[in-house]
Amino acid sequence: MSDQLRANALSARLKRFVVDLDRKRLFVAYSGGIDSTVLLHALWRLQQHFELELVALHADHQLQETSGEWHLHCQAFCLNLGIPFRARRFTIRDIRSKGVEAAARSTRYDWFLAQTGGATLVTGHNQDDQAETVLFRLVRGSGVDGLAAIAPVSELGGSLIVRPLLGESRADITAYAKYYHLVFVKDDTNCDVSIDRNYIRHRILPLFRTRWPAAEKTIARTADHLQNQRILRTKNARADLQACHSDSPACILGDFGRLRLDHLIGLGAVGMAGVLRYWVRKHGMEVPNTRRLMELIHQISSGGRSRRSAMRWRDGEIRSYRLHLYLIPVQPQPCFRGSLAWSAGKPIDISEAGIRLRSVRKQGRGLRISVPGEAGLTLDWRAKAEMIQPVGSAHRRSVKKLFQQAGIPPWERIRMPKLYLGEKLVCIPGLVVDREFAAQGLDMGIEILIDPLIAPSSDPNHEIAVVQRCGVW
């Protein structure tokens, strides 16, 4: 087939995609490589007929010496087509914990989604990318969700992500670029076979093609079948998650939701694994590996009602407390055990405990205004056996008992400071104020509020692409 016929066929398929998508404002992830160049050019040719509003987004990770030249090339290409161009240079962080590729991917997608503002992001992933992803995840031992690989359509951060070239071979994309004489950027690192994905591209797939010429196409078809299975599994997990959901009060410092352990255990190990994976993905986190997840499920299943279960990984923690399972952000480790002076007049951030303290004036609430005085208060996190007399109580109560009665889990107790006036415990923000120092009736008081430095949302406005998220790269 000639380059012209291949280019026309690709254009026709993209036209059908635009009709089916029925969205006018499209943000195109544009690296300057052949895939994104062909995608942007093909959409530009359809722009007038479908009244499309195109915006090109270029992320410069500054990982190659020539990245500045790529930036200028992309800018000039968009200027020539009359397409608005937005670019940003990044310094990649978290390389040690995530790896270069994952850290760069996370950085650019955060920026992409900030730019789209809930609109549609279009990326240039193709059929060969799909086959490479399936093989890469196969040798890593991925399950059904991982082997389903890159989804044609997904949602992330409230934005729709679409991949209209996912069914196009690299040969067809190259034919389009040749026919229209497109100039594109060539990344030399794509030839580095020390990188796993490149090894598959340059060593494994060519060997497959000598035996099975349509290897990429058939491997990609396997991913399609698995995506259908993933969708069914996700529907079941969503229903099971809803059945396990608890409306019990959220943690003072926030959580991503709570599940009833008795309902969860009733699903069995396979059902529990499905719910936990879905729950974690729903909040935009990477799922812990299978070994860690099964260890947690074993703890939950064999521990009985009283035993506490816990799992901590890079993105978050899952902990049990009082017949509930909590999904929470990564907790400060170890928690701050020192003391600090605070005037209570200005907000204070305590990064070691992951909290912010602030005060507001309220009638009949909090500490009497005169309490902090010029000397101010002392914040203390050291574990002590303390007593305090709450407002409305005739007796002094142990702090430990008050924490238990309030249902505050242990991982939050160690983050919540005790406030002292001299040697006297006067307040624990979010829990109790000592009767002797409390503002009551018409007294003007200072209410001490405690907030997490990073507040999790237990009720996201949208579901992150739980069935598709492993397709983002």
Side-chain angles (χ1 to χ4, degrees):
M1 184 182 296
S2 68
D3 290 346
Q4 180 180 5
L5 289 176
R6 284 184 159 184
N8 290 343
L10 187 151
S11 297
R13 289 188 290 269
L14 192 64
K15 182 178 180 179
R16 288 197 297 272
F17 156 78
V18 170
V19 171
D20 292 341
L21 183 65
D22 194 27
R23 294 199 178 196
K24 302 298 184 183
R25 187 168 172 79
L26 304 178
F27 290 80
V28 182
Y30 177 45
S31 67
I34 186 171
D35 300 327
S36 61
T37 298
V38 166
L39 175 62
L40 187 60
H41 184 269
L43 288 172
W44 168 76
R45 293 185 65 245
L46 298 171
Q47 183 176 27
Q48 186 172 358
H49 181 75
F50 290 100
E51 299 180 346
L52 300 178
E53 183 182 350
L54 301 177
V55 179
L57 302 177
H58 177 75
D60 180 1
H61 299 302
Q62 303 186 83
L63 295 176
Q64 285 85 25
E65 293 181 359
T66 56
S67 66
E69 297 175 13
W70 300 352
H71 180 125
L72 295 175
H73 163 82
C74 293
Q75 187 175 31
F77 186 83
C78 291
L79 181 63
N80 185 51
L81 298 182
I83 297 173
F85 177 75
R86 299 182 190 176
R88 182 169 175 181
R89 291 184 174 89
F90 298 95
T91 299
I92 305 303
R93 307 184 189 282
D94 297 329
I95 291 177
R96 188 171 183 178
S97 61
K98 295 183 178 181
V100 175
E101 184 180 351
R105 178 173 60 247
S106 176
T107 300
R108 70 174 173 269
Y109 270 91
D110 285 346
W111 180 66
F112 286 162
L113 297 179
Q115 294 297 305
T116 60
T120 303
L121 177 67
V122 190
T123 72
H125 299 101
N126 61 46
Q127 191 177 83
D128 292 52
D129 295 326
Q130 183 76 300
E132 292 162 10
T133 302
V134 172
L135 291 177
F136 179 57
R137 292 181 176 173
L138 181 64
V139 297
R140 294 182 66 186
S142 296
V144 171
D145 289 349
L147 293 175
I150 309 169
V153 179
S154 59
E155 187 183 351
L156 186 64
S159 293
L160 194 69
I161 303 177
V162 295
R163 305 172 179 89
L165 300 185
L166 200 57
E168 307 293 339
S169 68
R170 190 165 284 133
D172 286 343
I173 291 171
T174 301
Y176 183 103
K178 286 182 179 179
Y179 180 70
Y180 286 103
H181 306 289
L182 300 181
V183 179
F184 51 88
V185 168
K186 295 182 180 179
D187 184 354
D188 292 337
T189 62
N190 287 333
C191 298
D192 181 3
V193 293
S194 67
I195 299 172
D196 291 339
R197 189 178 293 277
N198 291 341
Y199 185 84
I200 293 172
R201 177 179 301 176
H202 297 294
R203 298 286 176 84
I204 303 299
L205 280 171
L207 183 62
F208 274 30
R209 282 193 294 269
T210 62
R211 178 80 178 192
W212 302 284
E216 286 91 346
K217 184 176 182 179
T218 54
I219 293 172
R221 188 163 64 237
T222 297
D224 291 340
H225 296 323
L226 291 173
Q227 282 171 20
N228 291 332
Q229 291 297 314
R230 184 166 65 184
I231 291 170
L232 291 175
R233 284 158 53 97
T234 298
K235 287 181 178 179
N236 292 335
R238 184 186 296 120
D240 288 340
L241 178 67
Q242 186 61 37
C244 295
H245 173 74
S246 172
D247 292 321
S248 61
C251 294
I252 287 179
L253 297 178
D255 58 60
F256 294 107
R258 300 150 304 284
L259 304 182
R260 291 176 290 182
L261 275 174
D262 54 349
H263 284 63
L264 187 64
I265 292 171
L267 298 175
V270 174
M272 279 194 280
V275 167
L276 293 176
R277 287 191 176 102
Y278 179 81
W279 194 27
V280 169
R281 286 199 184 105
K282 181 178 179 180
H283 293 282
M285 302 178 188
E286 292 292 340
V287 178
N289 63 46
T290 300
R291 180 183 61 81
R292 299 287 308 282
L293 199 62
M294 296 313 294
E295 285 178 359
L296 176 66
I297 289 171
H298 178 72
Q299 289 178 26
I300 294 170
S301 302
S302 62
R305 291 175 172 264
S306 60
R307 182 175 173 181
R308 292 177 185 168
S309 305
M311 177 179 65
R312 176 187 175 99
W313 75 104
R314 186 184 68 200
D315 285 357
E317 298 186 24
I318 294 177
R319 294 181 182 237
S320 65
Y321 178 65
R322 289 189 174 179
L323 307 182
H324 287 82
L325 201 65
Y326 293 76
L327 178 60
I328 57 177
V330 175
Q331 301 295 291
Q333 291 285 339
C335 193
F336 188 48
R337 289 295 185 183
S339 60
L340 293 171
W342 184 44
S343 67
K346 295 181 179 180
I348 181 173
D349 291 352
I350 302 101
S351 58
E352 295 89 346
I355 62 170
R356 171 179 293 121
L357 295 180
R358 55 192 176 91
S359 62
V360 294
R361 293 195 173 200
K362 284 189 178 181
Q363 191 175 55
R365 298 289 297 273
L367 297 168
R368 293 194 308 276
I369 284 183
S370 60
V371 170
E374 295 183 3
L377 302 169
T378 300
L379 312 177
D380 200 316
W381 284 263
R382 288 172 291 188
K384 301 178 183 178
E386 292 278 9
M387 303 287 287
I388 193 170
Q389 185 172 359
V391 174
S393 174
H395 306 284
R396 291 167 62 78
R397 311 282 296 280
S398 75
V399 169
K400 180 180 180 180
K401 194 70 173 178
L402 291 173
F403 273 131
Q404 291 174 341
Q405 290 178 343
I408 297 175
W411 61 85
E412 290 210 321
R413 298 177 197 175
I414 62 174
R415 295 173 62 189
M416 297 170 64
K418 303 178 183 71
L419 273 63
Y420 290 83
L421 182 65
E423 297 296 321
K424 177 70 175 179
L425 175 61
V426 298
C427 172
I428 300 176
L431 180 65
V432 63
V433 176
D434 189 274
R435 177 179 177 178
E436 180 183 349
F437 301 89
Q440 301 185 51
L442 298 179
D443 294 340
M444 185 58 69
I446 299 175
E447 186 173 16
I448 310 298
L449 303 178
I450 180 170
D451 303 300
L453 287 179
I454 301 176
S457 171
S458 61
D459 185 22
N461 294 325
H462 61 278
E463 284 193 0
I464 292 174
V466 290
V467 299
Q468 327 285 24
R469 192 174 192 277
C470 29
V472 177
W473 52 279

